[in-house]
Coordinates of all heavy atoms in Angstrom, one line a residue:
M642 N 106.7 134.7 121.0 CA 107.3 136.0 120.9 C 106.4 136.9 120.1 O 106.0 136.6 119.0 CB 108.7 135.9 120.3 CG 109.4 137.3 120.1 SD 110.9 137.1 119.2 CE 112.1 137.7 120.4
S643 N 106.2 138.2 120.5 CA 105.3 139.1 119.8 C 106.1 140.1 119.0 O 107.3 140.5 119.4 CB 104.4 139.8 120.8 OG 105.1 140.5 121.7
L644 N 105.5 140.6 118.0 CA 106.1 141.7 117.2 C 105.9 143.0 117.9 O 104.7 143.3 118.3 CB 105.5 141.7 115.8 CG 106.0 142.9 114.9 CD1 107.5 142.8 114.7 CD2 105.3 142.9 113.6
R645 N 106.9 143.8 118.2 CA 106.8 145.1 118.8 C 106.6 146.2 117.8 O 107.4 146.4 116.9 CB 108.0 145.4 119.6 CG 108.0 146.7 120.4 CD 109.2 147.0 121.1 NE 109.4 146.3 122.4 CZ 108.6 146.4 123.5 NH1 107.5 147.1 123.4 NH2 108.9 145.7 124.6
L646 N 105.4 146.8 117.8 CA 105.0 147.9 117.0 C 105.2 149.2 117.7 O 104.7 149.3 118.9 CB 103.6 147.8 116.5 CG 103.2 146.5 115.8 CD1 101.7 146.5 115.5 CD2 104.0 146.4 114.5
H647 N 105.8 150.2 117.1 CA 106.0 151.5 117.8 C 105.4 152.5 116.8 O 105.9 152.7 115.7 CB 107.4 151.8 118.1 CG 107.6 153.0 118.9 ND1 107.2 153.0 120.3 CD2 108.0 154.3 118.6 CE1 107.4 154.3 120.7 NE2 107.9 155.0 119.7
F648 N 104.4 153.3 117.3 CA 103.8 154.3 116.5 C 104.3 155.7 116.9 O 104.5 156.0 118.1 CB 102.3 154.3 116.8 CG 101.6 153.0 116.4 CD1 101.4 152.0 117.3 CD2 101.2 152.8 115.1 CE1 100.8 150.8 117.0 CE2 100.6 151.6 114.7 CZ 100.4 150.6 115.7
V649 N 104.6 156.5 115.8 CA 105.2 157.8 116.1 C 104.4 158.9 115.4 O 104.1 158.8 114.2 CB 106.7 157.9 115.6 CG1 107.3 159.2 115.7 CG2 107.5 156.8 116.2
C650 N 104.2 160.0 116.1 CA 103.6 161.2 115.5 C 104.3 162.4 116.1 O 105.4 162.3 116.5 CB 102.0 161.2 115.7 SG 101.5 161.6 117.4
T651 N 103.6 163.5 116.1 CA 104.3 164.8 116.5 C 104.3 164.9 118.0 O 105.3 165.0 118.7 CB 103.6 166.0 115.9 OG1 103.7 165.8 114.5 CG2 104.4 167.3 116.2
A652 N 103.1 165.0 118.7 CA 103.0 165.3 120.1 C 102.6 164.1 121.0 O 102.7 164.2 122.2 CB 101.9 166.3 120.3
N653 N 102.3 162.9 120.4 CA 101.9 161.7 121.1 C 100.7 161.9 122.0 O 100.6 161.4 123.1 CB 103.1 161.2 121.9 CG 102.9 159.8 122.5 OD1 103.2 159.6 123.6 ND2 102.3 158.9 121.7
I654 N 99.8 162.7 121.5 CA 98.5 162.9 122.2 C 97.3 162.6 121.3 O 96.2 162.4 121.8 CB 98.3 164.3 122.8 CG1 98.3 165.4 121.8 CG2 99.4 164.5 123.9 CD1 97.9 166.7 122.2
C655 N 97.5 162.4 120.0 CA 96.4 162.1 119.1 C 96.7 160.8 118.3 O 96.3 159.7 118.8 CB 96.2 163.2 118.1 SG 95.4 164.7 118.9
R656 N 97.3 160.9 117.2 CA 97.4 159.8 116.2 C 98.1 158.6 116.8 O 97.6 157.5 116.8 CB 98.1 160.3 114.9 CG 97.2 161.4 114.2 CD 98.0 162.0 113.1 NE 99.1 162.8 113.7 CZ 100.0 163.5 113.0 NH1 100.0 163.3 111.6 NH2 100.9 164.2 113.5
S657 N 99.4 158.8 117.2 CA 100.1 157.6 117.7 C 99.6 157.1 119.0 O 99.6 155.8 119.2 CB 101.6 158.0 117.9 OG 101.8 159.0 118.9
A658 N 99.1 157.9 119.8 CA 98.5 157.5 121.1 C 97.2 156.6 120.8 O 97.0 155.6 121.4 CB 98.1 158.7 122.0
Y659 N 96.4 157.1 119.9 CA 95.2 156.3 119.5 C 95.6 155.0 118.9 O 95.1 153.9 119.2 CB 94.4 157.1 118.4 CG 93.2 156.4 117.9 CD1 92.0 156.6 118.5 CD2 93.3 155.6 116.8 CE1 90.9 155.9 118.1 CE2 92.2 154.9 116.3 CZ 91.0 155.1 116.9 OH 89.9 154.4 116.5
A660 N 96.6 155.0 118.0 CA 97.0 153.8 117.3 C 97.6 152.8 118.3 O 97.3 151.6 118.2 CB 98.1 154.1 116.2
E661 N 98.3 153.2 119.3 CA 98.9 152.3 120.3 C 97.8 151.6 121.0 O 97.9 150.4 121.3 CB 99.7 153.1 121.3 CG 100.2 152.3 122.5 CD 100.8 153.1 123.6 OE1 100.9 154.3 123.5 OE2 101.3 152.4 124.5
R662 N 96.7 152.3 121.4 CA 95.6 151.6 122.1 C 94.7 150.8 121.2 O 94.1 149.8 121.5 CB 94.7 152.7 122.8 CG 95.5 153.5 123.9 CD 95.6 152.6 125.1 NE 96.0 153.4 126.3 CZ 97.3 153.5 126.6 NH1 98.2 153.0 125.9 NH2 97.6 154.2 127.7
R663 N 94.5 151.3 119.9 CA 93.5 150.6 119.0 C 94.1 149.4 118.3 O 93.4 148.4 118.1 CB 93.1 151.7 118.0 CG 92.1 151.2 117.0 CD 90.7 151.2 117.6 NE 89.7 151.0 116.5 CZ 89.0 149.9 116.2 NH1 89.2 148.9 117.0 NH2 88.2 149.9 115.2
A664 N 95.4 149.4 118.0 CA 96.0 148.4 117.2 C 95.8 147.0 117.8 O 95.4 146.1 117.1 CB 97.5 148.6 117.0
P665 N 96.0 146.8 119.1 CA 95.8 145.4 119.7 C 94.3 144.9 119.5 O 94.1 143.7 119.4 CB 96.1 145.6 121.2 CG 97.0 146.8 121.2 CD 96.5 147.7 120.1
T666 N 93.4 145.8 119.5 CA 92.0 145.3 119.3 C 91.7 145.0 117.9 O 90.8 144.2 117.6 CB 91.0 146.4 119.8 OG1 91.0 147.5 118.9 CG2 91.3 146.9 121.2
V667 N 92.5 145.5 117.0 CA 92.3 145.2 115.5 C 93.2 144.0 115.1 O 92.7 143.1 114.4 CB 92.7 146.4 114.7 CG1 92.6 146.1 113.2 CG2 91.7 147.6 114.9
L668 N 94.4 144.0 115.6 CA 95.4 142.9 115.2 C 95.3 141.7 116.0 O 95.7 140.6 115.5 CB 96.8 143.5 115.3 CG 97.1 144.7 114.5 CD1 98.5 145.3 114.8 CD2 97.0 144.4 113.0
G669 N 94.8 141.7 117.2 CA 94.7 140.5 118.1 C 96.0 140.3 118.8 O 96.8 141.2 119.0
T670 N 96.2 139.0 119.2 CA 97.4 138.7 120.0 C 98.6 138.7 119.1 O 98.5 138.6 117.8 CB 97.2 137.3 120.7 OG1 97.0 136.4 119.7 CG2 96.1 137.4 121.6
G671 N 99.8 138.7 119.7 CA 101.1 138.6 118.9 C 101.7 139.9 118.6 O 102.7 140.0 117.9
F672 N 101.2 141.0 119.2 CA 101.7 142.3 119.0 C 101.8 143.0 120.3 O 100.9 143.0 121.1 CB 100.8 143.1 118.0 CG 100.7 142.5 116.7 CD1 99.7 141.7 116.4 CD2 101.7 142.9 115.7 CE1 99.6 141.1 115.1 CE2 101.6 142.3 114.4 CZ 100.6 141.4 114.1
A673 N 103.0 143.7 120.5 CA 103.2 144.6 121.7 C 103.2 146.0 121.1 O 104.0 146.2 120.1 CB 104.5 144.2 122.4
C674 N 102.4 146.9 121.6 CA 102.4 148.2 121.0 C 102.8 149.3 121.9 O 102.5 149.3 123.1 CB 100.9 148.5 120.5 SG 100.3 147.4 119.3
S675 N 103.5 150.3 121.4 CA 103.9 151.5 122.1 C 103.8 152.7 121.2 O 103.6 152.6 120.0 CB 105.3 151.3 122.7 OG 106.2 151.1 121.7
S676 N 104.0 153.9 121.8 CA 103.9 155.1 121.0 C 104.8 156.2 121.6 O 105.1 156.2 122.8 CB 102.5 155.6 120.8 OG 102.0 156.1 122.0
S677 N 105.1 157.2 120.8 CA 105.8 158.4 121.2 C 105.7 159.5 120.2 O 105.1 159.3 119.1 CB 107.3 158.1 121.4 OG 107.9 157.7 120.2
G678 N 106.2 160.7 120.5 CA 106.1 161.8 119.6 C 107.4 162.5 119.4 O 108.2 162.6 120.4
V679 N 107.7 162.9 118.2 CA 109.0 163.5 117.9 C 109.2 164.9 118.5 O 110.3 165.3 118.8 CB 109.3 163.6 116.4 CG1 109.5 162.2 115.8 CG2 108.3 164.4 115.6
Q680 N 108.1 165.6 118.8 CA 108.1 166.9 119.5 C 107.3 166.9 120.8 O 106.8 167.9 121.2 CB 107.7 168.0 118.6 CG 108.6 168.1 117.4 CD 108.0 169.2 116.4 OE1 106.9 169.7 116.5 NE2 108.8 169.4 115.3
A681 N 107.1 165.7 121.4 CA 106.2 165.6 122.5 C 106.7 166.3 123.7 O 107.9 166.3 124.0 CB 105.9 164.1 122.8
R682 N 105.7 166.8 124.5 CA 105.9 167.3 125.8 C 105.5 166.2 126.8 O 104.4 165.8 126.8 CB 105.1 168.6 126.1 CG 105.6 169.8 125.4 CD 104.9 171.0 125.7 NE 104.1 171.0 126.9 CZ 102.9 171.6 127.1 NH1 102.3 172.3 126.1 NH2 102.3 171.6 128.2
P683 N 106.4 165.6 127.5 CA 106.1 164.4 128.3 C 105.1 164.7 129.4 O 105.0 165.8 129.9 CB 107.5 164.1 129.0 CG 108.5 164.7 128.1 CD 107.9 165.9 127.5
G684 N 104.2 163.7 129.6 CA 103.2 163.7 130.6 C 101.8 164.2 130.3 O 101.0 164.3 131.2
L685 N 101.6 164.5 129.0 CA 100.2 165.0 128.7 C 99.3 163.9 128.5 O 99.6 162.8 128.0 CB 100.3 165.9 127.4 CG 101.2 167.2 127.5 CD1 101.2 167.9 126.2 CD2 100.7 168.1 128.6
A686 N 98.0 164.2 128.8 CA 96.9 163.2 128.6 C 96.6 163.2 127.1 O 96.9 164.1 126.3 CB 95.7 163.6 129.4
M687 N 95.9 162.1 126.7 CA 95.4 162.0 125.3 C 94.4 163.1 125.0 O 93.7 163.6 125.8 CB 94.8 160.7 125.1 CG 94.5 160.4 123.6 SD 93.7 158.7 123.4 CE 95.1 157.7 123.9
D688 N 94.4 163.6 123.7 CA 93.5 164.6 123.3 C 92.0 164.1 123.6 O 91.7 162.9 123.3 CB 93.6 164.7 121.7 CG 92.6 165.6 121.1 OD1 92.7 166.8 121.2 OD2 91.6 165.1 120.6
P689 N 91.2 164.9 124.1 CA 89.8 164.5 124.5 C 89.0 163.9 123.4 O 88.3 162.9 123.6 CB 89.2 165.8 125.0 CG 90.3 166.7 125.4 CD 91.4 166.3 124.5
Q690 N 89.1 164.4 122.1 CA 88.4 163.9 121.0 C 88.9 162.4 120.7 O 88.1 161.6 120.4 CB 88.4 164.8 119.8 CG 87.6 166.1 120.0 CD 87.7 167.0 118.8 OE1 88.7 167.0 118.1 NE2 86.7 167.8 118.6
M691 N 90.2 162.2 120.7 CA 90.7 160.9 120.4 C 90.3 159.9 121.5 O 90.0 158.8 121.3 CB 92.2 161.0 120.2 CG 92.7 161.8 119.0 SD 91.9 161.3 117.5 CE 92.8 159.9 117.1
A692 N 90.4 160.4 122.8 CA 90.0 159.6 123.9 C 88.5 159.2 123.8 O 88.2 158.0 124.1 CB 90.2 160.3 125.2
A693 N 87.7 160.1 123.3 CA 86.3 159.8 123.2 C 86.1 158.7 122.1 O 85.2 157.8 122.2 CB 85.5 161.0 122.8
Q694 N 86.9 158.7 121.0 CA 86.8 157.7 120.0 C 87.2 156.4 120.5 O 86.5 155.4 120.2 CB 87.7 158.1 118.8 CG 87.2 159.3 118.0 CD 85.9 159.0 117.3 OE1 85.7 158.0 116.7 NE2 85.0 160.0 117.4
L695 N 88.2 156.3 121.4 CA 88.6 155.0 122.0 C 87.5 154.5 122.9 O 87.1 153.3 122.8 CB 89.9 155.2 122.7 CG 91.1 155.3 121.9 CD1 92.3 155.5 122.7 CD2 91.3 154.0 121.0
R696 N 86.9 155.4 123.7 CA 85.9 155.0 124.6 C 84.7 154.4 123.9 O 84.0 153.5 124.3 CB 85.4 156.2 125.5 CG 86.3 156.4 126.7 CD 85.8 157.4 127.7 NE 86.8 158.1 128.4 CZ 87.4 159.2 128.0 NH1 87.0 159.9 127.0 NH2 88.4 159.7 128.7
A697 N 84.4 155.1 122.7 CA 83.2 154.6 121.9 C 83.5 153.2 121.4 O 82.5 152.5 121.1 CB 83.0 155.5 120.7
R698 N 84.7 152.7 121.4 CA 85.1 151.4 121.0 C 85.4 150.5 122.1 O 85.9 149.4 122.0 CB 86.2 151.4 120.0 CG 85.9 152.1 118.7 CD 87.1 152.5 117.9 NE 86.7 152.9 116.5 CZ 86.2 154.1 116.2 NH1 86.0 155.0 117.2 NH2 85.9 154.4 115.0
G699 N 85.1 151.0 123.3 CA 85.3 150.1 124.5 C 86.7 150.1 125.0 O 87.1 149.1 125.7
I700 N 87.5 151.0 124.6 CA 89.0 151.0 125.0 C 89.2 152.2 126.0 O 88.8 153.3 125.7 CB 89.8 151.2 123.7 CG1 89.5 150.1 122.7 CG2 91.3 151.2 124.1 CD1 90.1 150.4 121.3
D701 N 89.9 151.9 127.1 CA 90.2 152.9 128.1 C 91.4 153.7 127.7 O 92.5 153.1 127.7 CB 90.4 152.2 129.4 CG 90.6 153.2 130.6 OD1 90.5 154.4 130.4 OD2 91.0 152.7 131.7
P702 N 91.3 155.0 127.5 CA 92.5 155.8 127.2 C 93.2 156.5 128.4 O 94.1 157.2 128.2 CB 91.8 156.9 126.3 CG 90.5 157.1 126.9 CD 90.1 155.7 127.4
T703 N 92.6 156.3 129.6 CA 93.1 157.1 130.7 C 94.5 156.9 131.1 O 95.1 157.8 131.7 CB 92.2 156.9 131.9 OG1 92.1 155.5 132.3 CG2 90.8 157.4 131.6
A704 N 95.1 155.8 130.9 CA 96.5 155.5 131.3 C 97.5 156.2 130.4 O 98.7 156.2 130.7 CB 96.7 154.0 131.4
H705 N 97.1 156.8 129.3 CA 98.1 157.3 128.4 C 98.8 158.6 129.0 O 98.2 159.4 129.5 CB 97.5 157.7 127.0 CG 98.5 158.4 126.1 ND1 99.4 157.6 125.4 CD2 98.7 159.7 125.8 CE1 100.2 158.5 124.7 NE2 99.7 159.7 124.9
S706 N 100.1 158.7 128.8 CA 100.9 159.8 129.1 C 101.9 160.0 128.0 O 102.7 159.1 127.7 CB 101.6 159.5 130.4 OG 102.4 160.6 130.8
S707 N 101.9 161.2 127.4 CA 102.7 161.5 126.2 C 104.2 161.3 126.6 O 104.6 161.6 127.7 CB 102.4 162.8 125.6 OG 102.7 163.8 126.6
R708 N 105.0 161.0 125.6 CA 106.4 160.9 125.7 C 107.1 161.1 124.4 O 106.6 160.9 123.3 CB 106.8 159.5 126.3 CG 106.4 158.3 125.6 CD 106.7 157.1 126.4 NE 106.9 155.9 125.6 CZ 108.0 155.7 125.0 NH1 109.1 156.4 125.1 NH2 108.1 154.6 124.2
R709 N 108.3 161.6 124.5 CA 109.1 162.0 123.4 C 109.8 160.7 122.8 O 110.3 159.9 123.6 CB 110.2 163.0 123.7 CG 110.9 163.6 122.5 CD 111.8 164.7 122.9 NE 111.0 165.9 123.3 CZ 110.9 167.0 122.7 NH1 111.6 167.2 121.6 NH2 110.2 168.0 123.1
T710 N 109.9 160.6 121.5 CA 110.6 159.5 120.8 C 112.1 159.6 121.1 O 112.8 160.6 121.0 CB 110.4 159.6 119.3 OG1 109.0 159.7 119.0 CG2 111.0 158.4 118.6
G711 N 112.6 158.4 121.5 CA 114.1 158.3 121.7 C 114.7 157.2 120.9 O 113.9 156.4 120.3
A712 N 116.0 157.1 120.8 CA 116.6 156.1 120.0 C 116.3 154.7 120.5 O 116.1 153.8 119.6 CB 118.2 156.3 120.1
A713 N 116.1 154.5 121.8 CA 115.7 153.2 122.3 C 114.4 152.7 121.7 O 114.2 151.5 121.5 CB 115.7 153.2 123.8
D714 N 113.4 153.6 121.5 CA 112.1 153.3 120.9 C 112.3 152.6 119.6 O 111.6 151.6 119.3 CB 111.2 154.5 120.8 CG 110.9 155.1 122.1 OD1 110.5 154.4 123.1 OD2 110.9 156.4 122.2
V715 N 113.2 153.2 118.8 CA 113.4 152.7 117.4 C 114.2 151.4 117.5 O 113.8 150.4 116.8 CB 114.2 153.7 116.6 CG1 114.5 153.2 115.2 CG2 113.3 155.0 116.5
R716 N 115.2 151.3 118.3 CA 116.0 150.1 118.4 C 115.2 148.9 118.9 O 115.4 147.8 118.4 CB 117.2 150.3 119.3 CG 118.4 151.0 118.7 CD 119.6 150.9 119.6 NE 119.4 151.3 121.0 CZ 119.6 152.5 121.4 NH1 120.0 153.5 120.6 NH2 119.4 152.8 122.7
Q717 N 114.3 149.1 119.8 CA 113.6 148.0 120.4 C 112.4 147.6 119.6 O 111.8 146.5 119.8 CB 113.1 148.4 121.8 CG 114.2 148.6 122.8 CD 113.8 149.2 124.1 OE1 112.7 149.5 124.3 NE2 114.8 149.4 125.0
A718 N 112.0 148.4 118.6 CA 110.8 148.0 117.8 C 111.1 147.1 116.7 O 112.2 147.2 116.1 CB 110.2 149.3 117.3
G719 N 110.2 146.2 116.5 CA 110.3 145.3 115.3 C 109.8 146.1 114.0 O 110.3 145.8 112.9
L720 N 108.9 147.0 114.3 CA 108.4 147.8 113.2 C 108.0 149.2 113.7 O 107.3 149.3 114.7 CB 107.2 147.2 112.5 CG 106.5 147.9 111.4 CD1 107.4 148.1 110.2 CD2 105.2 147.1 111.0
V721 N 108.5 150.3 113.1 CA 108.1 151.6 113.5 C 107.2 152.2 112.4 O 107.6 152.2 111.2 CB 109.4 152.5 113.6 CG1 109.0 154.0 113.9 CG2 110.3 152.0 114.7
L722 N 106.0 152.6 112.9 CA 105.0 153.2 111.9 C 104.9 154.7 112.3 O 104.5 155.0 113.4 CB 103.7 152.5 112.1 CG 103.8 151.0 111.8 CD1 102.6 150.2 112.3 CD2 103.9 150.8 110.3
T723 N 105.2 155.5 111.3 CA 105.1 157.0 111.5 C 103.7 157.5 110.9 O 103.3 156.9 109.9 CB 106.2 157.7 110.8 OG1 106.3 157.5 109.4 CG2 107.6 157.3 111.4
M724 N 103.2 158.5 111.5 CA 101.9 159.0 111.1 C 102.0 160.0 109.9 O 101.1 160.3 109.2 CB 101.2 159.7 112.3 CG 100.9 158.8 113.4 SD 99.8 157.4 113.0 CE 100.8 156.0 113.4
A725 N 103.2 160.5 109.7 CA 103.5 161.4 108.5 C 104.9 161.0 108.1 O 105.8 160.6 108.8 CB 103.4 162.8 108.9
S726 N 105.2 161.3 106.8 CA 106.5 160.9 106.2 C 107.7 161.6 106.9 O 108.7 161.1 107.1 CB 106.5 161.1 104.7 OG 106.3 162.5 104.4
W727 N 107.5 162.9 107.3 CA 108.6 163.6 107.9 C 108.9 163.1 109.3 O 110.0 163.4 109.8 CB 108.3 165.1 108.0 CG 107.2 165.6 109.0 CD1 105.8 165.7 108.7 CD2 107.4 166.0 110.3 NE1 105.2 166.1 109.9 CE2 106.1 166.3 110.8 CE3 108.5 166.1 111.1 CZ2 106.0 166.7 112.1 CZ3 108.3 166.5 112.4 CH2 107.1 166.8 112.9
H728 N 108.1 162.3 110.0 CA 108.4 161.8 111.3 C 109.5 160.7 111.1 O 110.2 160.4 112.1 CB 107.2 161.1 111.9 CG 106.1 162.0 112.3 ND1 104.8 161.8 111.9 CD2 106.1 163.2 112.9 CE1 104.0 162.8 112.4 NE2 104.8 163.7 113.0
R729 N 109.7 160.2 110.0 CA 110.8 159.2 109.8 C 112.2 159.8 110.0 O 113.1 159.1 110.4 CB 110.7 158.6 108.4 CG 109.6 157.7 108.2 CD 109.6 157.0 106.9 NE 109.7 158.0 105.8 CZ 109.0 157.9 104.7 NH1 108.3 156.8 104.4 NH2 109.1 158.8 103.8
T730 N 112.4 161.1 109.7 CA 113.7 161.7 109.8 C 114.0 161.9 111.3 O 115.1 161.9 111.7 CB 113.8 163.0 109.1 OG1 112.8 163.9 109.5 CG2 113.6 162.8 107.6

């Protein structure tokens, strides 16, 4: 069984999106990662600069599509990591 990590930021196109894709390459197996944003507009691609950072590390960012944080994201996560303290509220 893997630990489910959920990353939260504002729009889900930069910080949390990057963390969702990068975390598995840093942490290895045993983790399932997802992300969302508290003020996200659904369906947006990752920020081009963040996508370039992932590509530079051999990670494909193209499948990302932004989504808004919902109660189910929090309930299903083993650990919720917010990119700023105000995202916790």
Side-chain angles (χ1 to χ4, degrees):
M642 179 187 238
S643 61
L644 176 62
R645 180 182 284 297
L646 303 177
H647 188 74
F648 299 94
V649 178
C650 71
T651 305
N653 191 222
I654 60 170
C655 288
R656 296 169 291 176
S657 63
Y659 177 91
E661 174 187 1
R662 296 283 192 270
R663 181 79 165 106
T666 68
V667 174
L668 300 173
T670 60
F672 297 92
C674 298
S675 59
S676 68
S677 62
V679 295
Q680 296 175 359
R682 289 184 18 217
L685 298 179
M687 189 179 295
D688 174 81
Q690 291 178 330
M691 296 307 282
Q694 290 296 315
L695 287 174
R696 280 190 205 94
R698 290 164 173 78
I700 303 166
D701 182 11
T703 57
H705 178 74
S706 180
S707 63
R708 56 190 208 82
R709 190 174 291 248
T710 306
D714 296 316
V715 176
R716 279 195 306 270
Q717 294 170 0
L720 178 63
V721 176
L722 300 164
T723 62
M724 301 295 123
S726 59
W727 71 270
H728 294 132
R729 288 186 303 220
T730 59

